[in-house]
Amino acid sequence: MFHEIAELLEAFSQSHLIEDLKQCNPEELLGCLEQLKGWTLEDIRFQKASWEGREKKLTFDPFTDPALNVSGSRGTQKSAALFLAGGQGSRLGFDGPKGCYPVLGKSLFERHCEKIEGNAPVAILTSLLNHQETLSFFEKRNFFGLQKLSFFSQDTLPLLDENGRWFWCAAGKIATGPDGNGSVFAALEKSGVLQRFEEEGIETVHVVPVDNPLADPFDPELASFHEESGADLSFKCIRLEESEEPMGRLVRMDGKLAIAEFAELSEEQRKANRYANTGLLLFDLSLMRLLAKQKFPLHWAWRSAWKAERFIVD
């Protein structure tokens, strides 16, 4: 087992970790091997290439002409709701899944679920960090009365130290983090939830960040706009009064509408682009099927280690 792990670490260009394996017991070695087999050489090469090109600056033109809402009526297409809930509540000072964070006596999950009819199809994206804890949270509360609730998990990627190398977070365990909500399409397909939605005749999917307690999981205005405009993907934006609000911005890149993350924008670019992404999206299910086959780019941020994430807005 030791030699098999060493060969994988060599193939992943992480041979500096091999010496530490000598201190691991058989159970720790087995866990390490299972973890390493969860990544392909293609995955790791893609991460390495992204890391080496991470300082590339974005160039784009300002976006100044958002479409207005078409009407306030409810769309007629059959829809499902999908909550992005793979993150932890650490930045909120909360120990547990972000969706369990209490707001005025109710968890974020409860505040969303109480707006949904019991037989509406709902999916919740978790991560390896919180999947079981999230599932247990819902089980103890009888799933808040929802009858068509699915849970599926996104993948993880190794974290990097200041020198761009892997490191241990425990004996025989590589430090990892969720690979971002941009992996939701591949995870939706891999879990079988995408196929189940198709079999149920779902046409559109509302995507909602779990940390927005004011969101309507089945927003009628957004559904109406999406249907009447004939779009494959629609989203809600707001115009910011203050340029330093930490929100991603709508921009034009190569003549196409895109979203740039706040951390990737200079002060001048933030001032020039005031239309912000709320994270509230509506997808045609057929587009999600196509996106499940795409390789989304990685974005890098330092959070006590270098973390790579895919963004759904890419």
Side-chain angles (χ1 to χ4, degrees), residues 44-210:
I44 302 308
R45 285 175 174 171
F46 187 86
Q47 185 191 39
K48 186 174 185 293
S50 175
W51 159 260
E52 293 173 347
R54 70 191 181 284
E55 295 181 355
K56 182 180 178 181
K57 299 298 182 183
L58 293 175
T59 57
F60 50 79
D61 298 315
F63 174 79
T64 58
D65 54 345
L68 297 177
N69 191 40
V70 177
S71 75
S73 61
R74 182 173 292 277
T76 60
Q77 296 171 313
K78 188 174 181 181
S79 297
L82 193 164
F83 291 97
L84 304 177
Q88 294 295 90
S90 53
R91 280 190 280 181
L92 297 171
F94 178 72
D95 184 19
K98 189 183 296 183
C100 299
Y101 180 77
V103 177
L104 299 178
K106 294 183 180 180
S107 69
L108 287 166
F109 281 135
E110 182 176 0
R111 290 197 171 277
H112 287 301
C113 291
E114 65 186 7
K115 303 174 188 176
I116 301 173
E117 295 180 4
N119 62 350
V122 177
I124 296 179
L125 175 70
T126 65
S127 70
L128 296 180
L129 295 175
N130 66 19
H131 182 82
Q132 191 55 51
E133 191 173 356
T134 299
L135 186 57
S136 297
F137 182 85
F138 273 84
E139 287 175 341
K140 291 176 181 177
R141 291 155 182 82
N142 197 30
F143 300 98
F144 298 106
L146 299 182
Q147 302 156 22
K148 294 183 178 180
L149 190 56
S150 303
F151 298 85
F152 66 109
S153 184
Q154 64 192 99
D155 290 330
T156 62
L157 282 173
L159 300 177
L160 305 183
D161 65 17
E162 61 273 13
N163 297 312
R165 305 194 308 176
W166 295 5
F167 59 95
W168 304 109
C169 64
K173 187 175 182 180
I174 305 295
T176 63
D179 62 351
N181 55 35
S183 67
V184 63
F185 309 107
L188 195 69
E189 180 183 49
K190 183 179 178 181
S191 67
V193 176
L194 181 61
Q195 181 176 345
R196 187 155 62 250
F197 279 173
E198 290 173 334
E199 292 171 351
E200 293 176 1
I202 300 300
E203 298 170 271
T204 60
V205 179
H206 291 260
V207 176
V208 180
V210 74

Side-chain angles (χ1 to χ4, degrees), residues 192-267:
V193 176
L194 181 61
Q195 181 176 345
R196 187 155 62 250
F197 279 173
E198 290 173 334
E199 292 171 351
E200 293 176 1
I202 300 300
E203 298 170 271
T204 60
V205 179
H206 291 260
V207 176
V208 180
V210 74
D211 51 1
N212 184 347
L214 300 179
D216 184 342
F218 289 89
D219 187 329
E221 291 188 351
L222 184 57
S224 175
F225 172 83
H226 182 82
E227 186 172 350
E228 293 183 33
S229 63
D232 299 310
L233 163 62
S234 302
F235 54 90
K236 299 188 88 169
C237 68
I238 57 174
R239 191 183 191 287
L240 300 176
E241 296 297 326
E242 300 293 333
S243 64
E244 290 305 304
E245 286 284 344
M247 300 178 70
R249 306 298 166 81
L250 276 67
V251 299
R252 290 201 180 278
M253 303 178 79
D254 300 323
K256 298 178 181 178
L257 184 62
I259 294 175
E261 290 300 302
F262 178 79
E264 298 175 326
L265 300 171
S266 67
E267 183 178 351

